[in-house]
Amino acid sequence: MPLRRIALTTLVAAATTIAASPAHAAPRNVPAEDREVVFTVEGTRTYGTLHVPAHRSGQRLPAALLLPGSGPTDRNGDQPPVLTPGTLAKVAAALGEDTIITLRFDKYGSGKTGLGAYTGHPEDIDYPAFARQAAAAYTLLLRQPETDRRAVSVIGHSEGAMTALVIADEVRPRPAGLALLQPQALRLLDLVALQLHDQIARATEAGQFTPEQRRVIDAAVDRAIGDLRAHRPVDTTDLPAPVAQLFQSFEGVNRRFLDTDDAIYPPDVARRLHPGTRVLLTCGTNDPQVPCATTDALTATLRRAHATGPGRAALQGIDHNLRDAAHPDVLAADALAALREFTSRWRHGR
């Protein structure tokens, strides 16, 4: 996917101006800072947060672009007021403690950015628009004076992990590493079908459906997926009302996005990865949205693409938002350990 030329503007809130130190003076410490940034992508002003950890004056730091998951998910990894796990905000805080710069932003449809240039015609937005927005953010991160351009990674959560793969071969310089956290590793509608079949199976075990009803509903789900891909009207006759409503939403304003997202098979994208790229892929054993088995093909492709680094980490008891049941308000210790193993090369100057 060719990248368009993107005009970038950055507004820095409460920035500290640091006078040049005499050559003989010892480096002075610069305090940690959160900067509100704005960059323009194809007519849309995109808002984000750049966190620069405390560092020595003149020091160049490793940096990471954080990409959110699907839907109207904002820079913090939230869809307020209903879903507020704060996944990306917590990742940024953890990386900041390890002296890694982070940039996270409100993508189209979320936070301060909103629909931007798509206001009034959201049906025109497609998945590549989100990838171009992410690429623009990557360029902005590279241009920060504190960024070590040799140590910039992209960390994506869920759909954001797929976006990380998509832009990795398009941006220059290429990312030194990719962290794919609970990634969308299948075509979108294949993942939707898997999730729906799992939910129907659980409902049957709970006595909500008979085995025969389950068989009919499963067949109706597969038929609806086929109808969507063939651009036929979706027959929702045999679907439970919530599932029927889901498929009806796919046929509405979200149709263009759905088609362009579903066209991407992440293992195909991973084949283009630059050899030697450091990669972490996580999956959680308590994650019904992205079961570990859905990442098998992507993991194998990354290996064949000669990716280096931690590879896949299967996190025991971890849910989609990198939490365990005992500590739902923080990132799980195993998830933090996997991230720190991924970033260790740059943190330790290797």
Side-chain angles (χ1 to χ4, degrees), residues 149-160:
R149 292 168 60 92
R150 301 165 302 174
V152 178
S153 56
V154 183
I155 299 176
H157 177 241
S158 195
E159 183 185 272

Side-chain angles (χ1 to χ4, degrees), residues 40-222:
T40 301
V41 187
E42 300 172 350
T44 293
R45 288 168 63 81
T46 301
Y47 295 82
T49 300
L50 181 83
H51 178 72
V52 181
H55 61 284
R56 299 187 309 274
S57 178
Q59 183 182 6
R60 296 293 176 264
L61 305 178
L65 172 64
L66 309 185
L67 300 179
S70 60
T73 306
D74 65 19
R75 71 184 84 178
N76 294 326
D78 294 338
Q79 295 183 21
V82 178
L83 299 174
T84 56
T87 307
L88 290 191
K90 292 170 183 174
V91 169
L95 295 178
E97 291 176 2
D98 289 335
T99 321
I100 297 172
I101 298 170
T102 56
L103 173 61
R104 61 191 199 275
F105 62 93
D106 295 332
K107 68 175 186 175
Y108 288 113
S110 75
K112 290 180 66 176
T113 301
L115 285 171
Y118 293 95
T119 300
H121 51 101
E123 67 278 2
D124 290 341
I125 198 166
D126 57 12
Y127 174 77
F130 290 87
R132 293 191 294 270
Q133 192 180 42
Y138 181 85
T139 301
L140 175 64
L141 181 58
L142 282 172
R143 292 181 178 180
Q144 299 308 303
E146 300 90 351
T147 295
D148 180 352
R149 292 168 60 92
R150 301 165 302 174
V152 178
S153 56
V154 183
I155 299 176
H157 177 241
S158 195
E159 183 185 272
M162 185 176 79
T163 304
L165 278 171
V166 167
I167 70 170
D169 189 51
E170 304 290 345
V171 296
R172 294 294 184 274
R174 294 183 177 95
L178 300 177
L180 312 176
L181 308 179
Q182 325 299 75
Q184 178 182 328
L186 302 176
R187 291 179 66 187
L188 177 59
L189 287 176
D190 289 339
L191 188 58
V192 168
L194 184 149
Q195 292 171 352
L196 289 175
H197 288 315
D198 180 66
Q199 292 170 23
I200 294 159
R202 292 172 184 268
T204 302
E205 291 172 1
Q208 297 176 35
F209 302 120
T210 67
E212 176 59 20
Q213 288 172 323
R214 174 187 174 183
R215 185 192 66 76
V216 171
I217 295 169
D218 280 341
V221 166
D222 291 338

Side-chain angles (χ1 to χ4, degrees), residues 180-183 280-284 290 292 295 311-315 322 335 338:
L180 312 176
L181 308 179
Q182 325 299 75
L280 166 69
L281 187 157
T282 68
C283 64
V290 180
C292 281
T295 69
R312 180 165 65 178
L315 305 177
L322 304 173

